[in-house]
Amino acid sequence: MIQKRTLLFTIALLWLVAATAQTFTLQGKVTDSDMSPIELATVSVLSQGRVAMTNLKGEFSMQLQSADSVVVKFSMVGYKTKTRVLRRPRGKQTLQIQLFDDNLLSEVTVTEKKRQTGSTQQLDAKDLQHTPSVTGNAVEELIQQQAGVSSHSELSSQYNVRGGSFDENSVYINNVEVYRPFLVRSGQQEGLSIINPDMVQSIGFSTGGFEAIYGDKMSSALDITYKRPKGFEAKASASLLGASAYVGFSNKKFSWSNGLRYKTNKGMLSTLDTDGEYDPKFLDYQTFLTYSPSKRWDISFIGDISDSRYNFYPENRETKFGTMQSVKAFKVYFDGWEKDVFTTFFGSLNITHKLNDKTQFSLITSAFHTNEQERYDIQGQYWLNETETNENLGVGTYMEHARNYLKATVKSVKLAVSHKPKNHHIQAGLTYKIEKIREYTKEYEMRDSSGYSVPHTGQDLYMIYSLKANNKLDANRVETYIQDTWKFANADETTFYTLNYGVRFSHWNFNKESIFSPRVSLGIVPAFNNDVTLRFATGFYYQAPFFKELRDTFTVNNITHATLNRKIKSQQSIHFIAGFDYRFKLRERPYRFSAEAYYKALNNLVPYTVNNVKITYDASQQCSGHAAGLDLKLYGEFVPGTDSWVSLSLMSTKMKINGRSIPMPTDQRYAVNLFFTDYFPGTDRWKMSLKLAIADGLPFGAPHRDLSDQPFRAPAYRRADIGMSYLAYGKHKTSAEEVVISPKNKKKKKKSSIPVKAVWLGIDCLNLLGINNVNSYYWITDVTNQQYAVPNYLTGRQLNVKATIEF
């Protein structure tokens, strides 16, 4: 019996010794190219089915089985995957792994640089020049394709976010808030946005629940950072819709980037129903300089000059609309002209001093100035007929006149502090703004229907619409904020947390109002699945009134006068957001599924109407409302080596005005966006990009009526754009060497001395399906006060060819 027990004990001991000898401990640290730790990087041994993630310090540890060779893979989105092979490992193995930015992702349109644990997602627009574009504003077109974002005009770079208006989106370039022109009323007038895509390094975008560092807007925050060139780089592009050029160079202390853009959408406008002479010219020049005299000091300057001119001489228009049973024809002959000029200047100077590796102070000054003119005198003689019976439904003449002038200057000085103690990032800032605006407006519309001026009283001669304004705004604004981003984990470092909390305060001396805005968000990477991220956010967000929201109107003798309302209060939105992200692989290709539910409680809303891109506020009253919805997005490599996505947004909005609960003007109940990229079979030099958008139509009503009377809804917006690009000359990278491919020489060579990096040729088919989308309506009124809504169709099918050379 004793011998039997001794034998069993000996066998167990030998088995334990053997098992111990076959296992080992792998530990180490993962850092980036700057030796900063990479958190939540994946360390995997696929042959053993073992996966671990790095902690907040970039460290990891895992128990593995020994073998002749153990293959360990280190990966993180946005970095090149690195593999290490361990030969017969024993005991404790320690690895120091350094991951580098994935330059191979330059072919990817949008790249998520890291896991999103906060309310801001990171996007990349490196190769948007290879996708079909109408406006030439690549960054805004990228934003319009995100879940929760919508746009109902391909001619405009403006966008709505979760039921908000165009004016509810804040835009920052290198920590400075930037502005748009005020008088733009249609997509045809819009020029180039202030964001030059050739100069962009990073894009941060939040559709809600954003941090306290971002200003007093209710819907979204777009944070742009311009890049510092690494050596010499240049690019030139040309197409039927415009051209651009970019040049940048640098040395150890100095860098200088220059971007020049020209746009003309004359070809696109020729597909509209209104025929005539279109002469739009938009020009923009930007410069970005940086100087670092020492490791402790950084000085940078951004300058922008933009000149947008829109000249139009209409001739005639014919629009057919209605149903299959009742088709109507609207015919107009024009006489007159429209001449618009929008000239803007922007400059920003940033001086940063680094006390040490954890603390820095920045002094940022900026100035924005715009000089705008909108002038037109257009007369039209129109006929509205029933096509089947040839019955005349209306005939008349209208005359539109405008002399609108506006000058605005916004100056600011900001002191910002950044401090990074252990696992924390504390940011604070104090901004003082000086705002000066001068407005002179005189516009009217006269309509004559069947020999009677409308409106017809039988006694007096009135215009159907007349507006006068002569306003001045001189105001000062103080803004301050403080926030902290705290990253921590539970005791055994299996669950990771990212907590952002902060508060924002501002005061405007024009209406004597002070607003206080606390905000908090939490991101969780749970222990049960490291590929899952849970996100929660809430906070108070205010739409501090600016010039547009202040305009209040009153009518005397049928003439409307616009004044500034000093009693108006900031619009308020309370955000409640819950998000879920899941990263997975399908057929060895990475994907990410995101879902985000939100509810926004709205108070002190200033009612408004939207006509094309012109927003008209009624500052005489304020109301309440809400917006709720769900955003879903699947992002990944639908085709190996390319990134694509599809998104679905569902939303419901209501506002209570004059005792009635009605949809908000931006009540888009559903939206589907698809972006798909692919390569032609057998080659990666032919690239195809497809953009597809389907969005619910927006509510609308007859003009010059009560804002609560919006009984109609426009048809859904449906559009498909496709583009094909051919790499005629370029550089590809293999694992061992850089290869140059050209039509005449397809052999592998070492790095070429030719300064040309790549040559792309492309062709786009815009509005592939030729769908007549409606952006606004022109209303015909006869002497009996019967009104007809004539749709203003957007652009038709159009081809665009383009070429890009990179140096």
Side-chain angles (χ1 to χ4, degrees):
M1 186 70 178
I2 296 177
Q3 292 179 347
K4 185 176 181 180
R5 289 180 178 178
T6 304
L7 179 61
L8 291 174
F9 176 78
T10 303
I11 293 174
L13 182 62
L14 292 174
W15 179 86
L16 180 63
V17 171
T20 304
Q22 291 174 0
T23 63
F24 70 99
T25 300
L26 178 64
Q27 64 183 21
K29 186 175 183 179
V30 180
T31 62
D32 60 16
S33 57
D34 297 324
M35 298 305 295
S36 298
I38 300 177
E39 62 189 57
L40 304 181
T42 300
V43 183
S44 60
V45 180
L46 299 180
S47 61
Q48 300 183 23
R50 299 298 307 274
V51 178
M53 299 190 71
T54 58
N55 61 18
L56 300 178
K57 299 178 183 178
E59 299 171 346
F60 68 93
S61 179
M62 58 195 308
Q63 293 291 324
L64 297 170
Q65 296 290 324
S66 183
D68 289 341
S69 64
V70 178
V71 180
V72 187
K73 182 182 292 185
F74 301 85
S75 61
M76 179 65 181
V77 177
Y79 296 89
K80 290 182 179 180
T81 298
K82 184 167 287 189
T83 302
R84 288 288 182 267
V85 180
L86 307 179
R87 302 296 182 185
R88 299 184 179 88
R90 296 289 189 272
K92 183 179 291 186
Q93 302 286 325
T94 302
L95 296 178
Q96 292 290 121
I97 302 298
Q98 192 174 22
L99 300 182
F100 295 92
D101 291 343
D102 194 347
N103 294 323
L104 294 178
L105 293 177
S106 61
E107 291 301 321
V108 177
T109 302
V110 183
T111 303
E112 296 171 89
K113 286 297 184 184
K114 61 179 181 180
R115 182 194 298 260
Q116 180 185 344
T117 56
S119 58
T120 301
Q121 57 178 319
Q122 295 296 322
L123 305 174
D124 196 342
K126 285 183 178 178
D127 278 64
L128 282 175
Q129 68 270 24
H130 302 317
T131 63
S133 172
V134 176
T135 66
N137 299 317
V139 174
E140 286 84 352
E141 290 190 355
L142 170 62
I143 297 301
Q144 290 173 353
Q145 299 169 54
Q146 302 306 307
V149 184
S150 64
S151 175
H152 286 75
S153 174
E154 64 273 7
L155 293 172
S156 174
S157 61
Q158 302 192 54
Y159 49 88
N160 306 110
V161 178
R162 292 178 174 175
S165 71
F166 300 140
D167 296 330
E168 297 178 18
N169 308 309
S170 59
V171 180
Y172 289 80
I173 297 181
N174 286 20
N175 299 315
V176 176
E177 187 173 8
V178 296
Y179 301 87
R180 295 175 179 268
F182 294 84
L183 295 182
V184 173
R185 58 183 172 82
S186 69
Q188 293 91 311
Q189 297 172 307
E190 273 196 34
L192 294 157
S193 78
I194 193 172
I195 304 173
N196 188 326
D198 292 333
M199 302 174 68
V200 170
Q201 173 180 306
S202 64
I203 305 172
F205 181 63
S206 174
T207 54
F210 40 90
E211 304 167 1
I213 60 173
Y214 301 117
D216 300 315
K217 296 293 179 71
M218 290 199 303
S219 291
S220 74
L222 176 59
D223 191 355
I224 302 296
T225 301
Y226 275 1
K227 64 183 178 181
R228 300 186 180 189
K230 299 178 180 179
F232 175 80
E233 55 189 41
K235 183 170 69 173
S237 301
S239 74
L240 297 179
L241 300 179
S244 66
Y246 164 77
V247 177
F249 59 88
S250 66
N251 54 33
K252 292 183 178 180
K253 294 186 176 182
F254 178 79
S255 71
W256 189 14
S257 302
N258 296 272
L260 181 66
R261 293 177 293 163
Y262 171 75
K263 169 186 169 181
T264 174
N265 53 6
K266 184 176 181 179
M268 291 299 303
L269 299 181
S270 65
T271 65
L272 298 174
D273 283 347
T274 302
D275 294 327
E277 182 182 346
Y278 291 92
D279 187 23
K281 296 178 181 178
F282 309 111
L283 188 66
D284 177 87
Y285 168 74
Q286 292 190 36
T287 185
F288 177 43
L289 300 94
T290 67
Y291 176 59
S292 302
S294 68
K295 294 183 178 180
R296 298 296 185 187
W297 289 93
D298 280 313
I299 302 173
S300 64
F301 172 78
I302 296 177
D304 173 70
I305 301 175
S306 178
D307 184 71
S308 301
R309 298 176 182 269
Y310 177 75
N311 298 324
F312 177 41
Y313 301 88
E315 296 175 358
N316 61 78
R317 165 183 174 173
E318 183 172 4
T319 302
K320 293 184 178 180
F321 64 100
T323 64
M324 294 293 292
Q325 294 75 24
S326 177
V327 180
K328 297 177 177 61
F330 179 62
K331 182 73 173 181
V332 188
Y333 292 96
F334 294 103
D335 183 25
W337 50 268
E338 177 178 357
K339 297 180 180 180
D340 306 321
V341 179
F342 304 94
T343 304
T344 61
F345 303 89
F346 171 75
S348 173
L349 177 65
N350 186 331
I351 302 175
T352 298
H353 176 59
K354 300 178 182 178
L355 293 179
N356 49 53
D357 294 338
K358 297 181 178 180
T359 307
Q360 69 178 32
F361 292 85
S362 298
L363 179 65
I364 306 172
T365 62
S366 68
F368 168 83
H369 177 76
T370 180
N371 188 357
E372 305 175 21
Q373 301 177 21
E374 183 184 42
R375 300 171 295 160
Y376 54 82
D377 282 300
I378 298 177
Q379 177 179 279
Q381 295 180 329
Y382 65 86
W383 289 262
L384 180 63
N385 298 321
E386 186 77 42
T387 57
E388 292 186 358
T389 63
N390 205 28
E391 177 187 357
N392 183 263
L393 302 176
V395 60
T397 302
Y398 68 86
M399 171 70 181
E400 294 179 337
H401 166 90
R403 294 294 185 272
N404 300 332
Y405 304 92
L406 184 141
K407 291 184 179 180
T409 302
V410 179
K411 302 176 183 177
S412 71
V413 58
K414 176 180 179 180
L415 178 64
V417 182
S418 175
H419 179 56
K420 295 182 179 180
K422 184 178 180 181
N423 297 339
H424 289 265
H425 185 193
I426 301 172
Q427 296 170 276
L430 175 65
T431 305
Y432 180 73
K433 294 182 179 180
I434 301 174
E435 303 163 346
K436 295 182 180 294
I437 299 179
R438 302 291 184 268
E439 175 206 22
Y440 174 78
T441 296
K442 184 178 181 181
E443 57 185 48
Y444 63 79
E445 180 179 353
M446 182 275 292
R447 291 189 190 176
D448 183 292
S449 179
S450 300
Y452 293 93
S453 178
V454 180
H456 177 63
T457 65
Q459 296 178 350
D460 301 307
L461 181 63
Y462 289 135
M463 302 290 181
I464 194 171
Y465 167 72
S466 178
L467 175 67
K468 290 184 178 181
N470 190 355
N471 295 310
K472 295 181 180 180
L473 173 67
D474 292 288
N476 301 322
R477 197 185 303 261
V478 178
E479 302 173 348
T480 185
Y481 66 86
I482 183 170
Q483 73 169 39
D484 175 34
T485 302
W486 179 25
K487 296 184 177 182
F488 59 98
N490 59 355
D492 56 359
E493 294 191 342
T494 57
T495 301
F496 300 89
Y497 302 90
T498 301
L499 176 65
N500 178 274
Y501 54 97
V503 64
R504 188 176 186 89
F505 172 84
S506 67
H507 176 79
W508 199 31
N509 71 343
F510 184 82
N511 63 353
K512 312 297 182 184
E513 182 188 27
S514 298
I515 54 178
F516 181 77
S517 175
R519 307 171 186 180
V520 61
S521 67
L522 175 66
I524 305 173
V525 180
F528 65 82
N529 192 331
N530 287 327
D531 289 322
V532 171
T533 305
L534 306 176
R535 294 180 282 107
F536 306 92
T538 186
F540 287 76
Y541 296 85
Y542 291 89
Q543 181 79 16
F546 200 36
F547 183 73
K548 288 184 178 180
E549 297 94 325
L550 295 175
R551 297 175 90 240
D552 193 4
T553 58
F554 63 92
T555 302
V556 178
N557 295 329
N558 218 52
I559 299 177
T560 302
H561 299 265
T563 59
L564 302 183
N565 184 1
R566 288 182 174 270
K567 296 182 180 181
I568 195 170
K569 300 300 180 182
S570 296
Q571 303 177 79
Q572 183 195 74
S573 177
I574 306 175
H575 292 192
F576 300 94
I577 297 173
F580 169 84
D581 295 337
Y582 176 57
R583 302 190 307 173
F584 62 97
K585 284 191 174 183
L586 185 64
R587 295 182 179 179
E588 297 302 317
R589 300 197 294 268
Y591 290 87
R592 174 187 171 185
F593 173 74
S594 300
E596 197 164 274
Y598 61 91
Y599 179 85
K600 299 195 291 187
L602 309 173
N603 297 290
N604 295 332
L605 290 179
V606 181
Y608 62 90
T609 58
V610 181
N611 184 16
N612 205 311
V613 298
K614 181 181 180 180
I615 299 178
T616 303
Y617 292 92
D618 181 6
S620 64
Q621 55 183 330
Q622 292 188 278
C623 59
S624 61
H626 76 268
L630 176 67
D631 294 331
L632 306 174
K633 181 179 179 181
L634 178 62
Y635 171 95
E637 292 187 10
F638 293 13
V639 174
T642 67
D643 281 1
S644 306
W645 71 86
V646 59
S647 67
L648 170 65
S649 298
L650 304 174
M651 183 179 67
S652 173
T653 67
K654 294 290 183 181
M655 68 176 180
K656 192 173 183 179
I657 180 172
N658 296 335
R660 297 180 57 189
S661 180
I662 63 172
M664 296 180 65
T666 54
D667 182 55
Q668 179 182 276
R669 296 170 297 186
Y670 64 87
V672 178
N673 281 285
L674 170 68
F675 181 82
F676 179 75
T677 55
D678 195 2
Y679 290 103
F680 278 49
T683 178
D684 58 0
R685 288 194 288 157
W686 278 99
K687 181 180 179 181
M688 184 277 294
S689 300
L690 173 67
K691 296 197 301 185
L692 177 66
I694 303 174
D696 186 27
L698 302 180
F700 72 97
H704 317 307
R705 288 194 175 185
D706 192 280
L707 295 180
S708 62
D709 188 12
Q710 303 284 312
F712 309 110
R713 186 176 287 270
Y717 180 85
R718 299 163 297 162
R719 185 176 176 90
D721 297 325
I722 190 170
M724 298 184 185
S725 300
Y726 173 66
L727 182 59
Y729 179 91
K731 295 179 180 180
H732 293 263
K733 291 183 179 180
T734 65
S735 58
E737 62 181 356
E738 196 167 43
V739 180
V740 178
I741 299 178
S742 66
K744 296 182 178 179
N745 184 5
K746 297 184 180 180
K747 297 181 179 181
K748 294 185 177 181
K749 294 182 180 181
K750 295 293 184 180
K751 194 171 182 179
S752 172
S753 61
I754 300 176
V756 177
K757 179 180 178 182
V759 176
W760 286 89
L761 304 176
I763 182 170
D764 299 336
C765 184
L766 307 172
N767 195 359
L768 175 66
L769 304 179
I771 298 174
N772 290 326
N773 289 304
V774 180
N775 180 247
S776 60
Y777 290 85
Y778 185 80
W779 290 82
I780 298 298
T781 306
D782 62 20
V783 70
T784 63
N785 209 32
Q786 176 72 35
Q787 291 187 308
Y788 300 91
V790 181
N792 295 318
Y793 292 120
L794 288 166
T795 59
R797 186 183 293 111
Q798 179 78 8
L799 291 178
N800 181 38
V801 294
K802 54 188 179 181
T804 300
I805 304 177
E806 300 177 7
F807 301 92

